[in-house]
Amino acid sequence: MARRFIVAGNWKMNTNIEEGILLAEQIQHGQRNPETEVILAVPYTHLFPIKKKIKASSGIRLAAQNCHDRNAGAFTGEISPTVLNTMKIPYVIIGHSERRMYNNESNELLASKIQAALNNGLKVIFCCGESLDIRRSNEHVNFVKQQLEESLFTVDSTTMKHIVIAYEPVWAIGTGETASPQQAQEMHAAIRKMIHNKYGKRIADNISILYGGSVKGSNAKDIFCQEDVDGGLVGGASLDSSDFLKIINSL
Ligand code: PGA
């Protein structure tokens, strides 16, 4: 995948199916910048009904919010990456901070989830980002480096084209507090440099690095115009079609 501008909505555990279908249709029929790739990470229960409503020509792609690191087995309540693939769901989010926090997902587990997703032909939106304590102690770049090294950097260079990175400082998620455009740019440039050091310039230049954490229609433009920011992963504001369309159109 060449570097491209992506706005992904992470609905988390919100909307019932009717509300979800309505929201997806509002986004599908809204005025959208055709250069922005739009991804909707909807609840698992909504993937199939929403997929039926979204036209391939709309350019909107669906994502699961997580998957298991095994293809099948006795894992009650889990989601198989193989099934996502057979449902033709192109993307999966791996490593969201809420899953790291509430489901104790370690860097090591995330490495095997990334491999499982890639082995099943899924593209991965890999999330990383530091807590407020780590930011205050000025260890944020090292912390994110470790997250990348211990999970993402197990991917070989030929499959890196199926990876999108989302930098989401935990202190900015759902808090209304956003990283300043400079803070976002600083970290995105650092991440791109890490990719460069590990995989070389071509892969670093081509990878899309999204910012996430209280992105809204009112602040998206200032963040997205930073050189190393290639779009956003949007939680709360993706549940409001007009705000989400504004974000999509803020390139
Ligand atoms: P937020 O969530 O936009 O509500 O801060 C972002 C995310 O968790 O991906």
Side-chain angles (χ1 to χ4, degrees), residues 68-246:
H68 202 265
D69 64 334
R70 308 277 184 89
N71 293 343
F75 303 106
T76 303
E78 290 292 343
I79 296 290
S80 156
T82 312
V83 173
L84 292 175
N85 177 253
T86 54
M87 286 172 71
K88 300 199 165 32
I89 301 301
Y91 282 97
V92 61
I93 298 178
I94 303 278
H96 191 280
S97 61
E98 285 153 14
R99 292 209 56 94
R100 291 175 186 264
M101 197 164 20
Y102 304 130
N103 299 77
N104 295 321
E105 295 194 351
S106 64
N107 289 341
E108 192 188 13
L109 173 67
L110 297 175
S112 65
K113 287 191 178 210
I114 292 171
Q115 288 304 338
L118 293 173
N119 290 343
N120 281 285
L122 301 170
K123 296 180 171 78
V124 171
I125 302 173
F126 175 73
C127 299
C128 56
E130 80 287 354
S131 66
L132 189 56
D133 284 353
I134 293 167
R135 165 71 56 172
R136 285 196 176 131
S137 62
N138 206 28
E139 281 299 317
H140 46 290
V141 174
N142 283 337
F143 181 82
V144 167
K145 184 159 180 262
Q146 190 175 353
Q147 287 182 321
L148 294 185
E149 282 174 350
E150 291 180 4
S151 6
L152 188 63
F153 287 179
T154 56
V155 172
D156 68 47
S157 56
T158 55
T159 32
M160 277 301 282
K161 56 180 181 289
H162 299 306
I163 302 285
V164 172
I165 295 175
Y167 166 60
E168 300 202 303
V170 178
W171 47 272
I173 295 179
T175 58
E177 202 169 318
T178 325
S180 67
Q182 294 70 27
Q183 285 172 319
Q185 168 56 25
E186 180 208 33
M187 183 60 96
H188 282 229
I191 292 172
R192 204 176 298 283
K193 184 138 185 277
M194 293 168 205
I195 304 284
H196 185 158
N197 292 343
K198 168 80 182 166
Y199 294 103
K201 180 170 169 23
R202 194 180 54 83
I203 290 177
D205 285 347
N206 281 324
I207 197 160
S208 300
I209 308 177
L210 316 185
Y211 168 80
S214 298
V215 174
K216 302 185 265 299
S218 55
N219 61 20
K221 206 175 190 125
D222 287 344
I223 301 171
F224 293 173
C225 70
Q226 300 299 311
E227 192 183 336
D228 287 292
V229 178
D230 307 310
L233 179 55
V234 185
S238 71
L239 297 169
D240 178 312
S241 59
S242 62
D243 213 26
F244 192 58
L245 286 163
K246 193 166 174 202

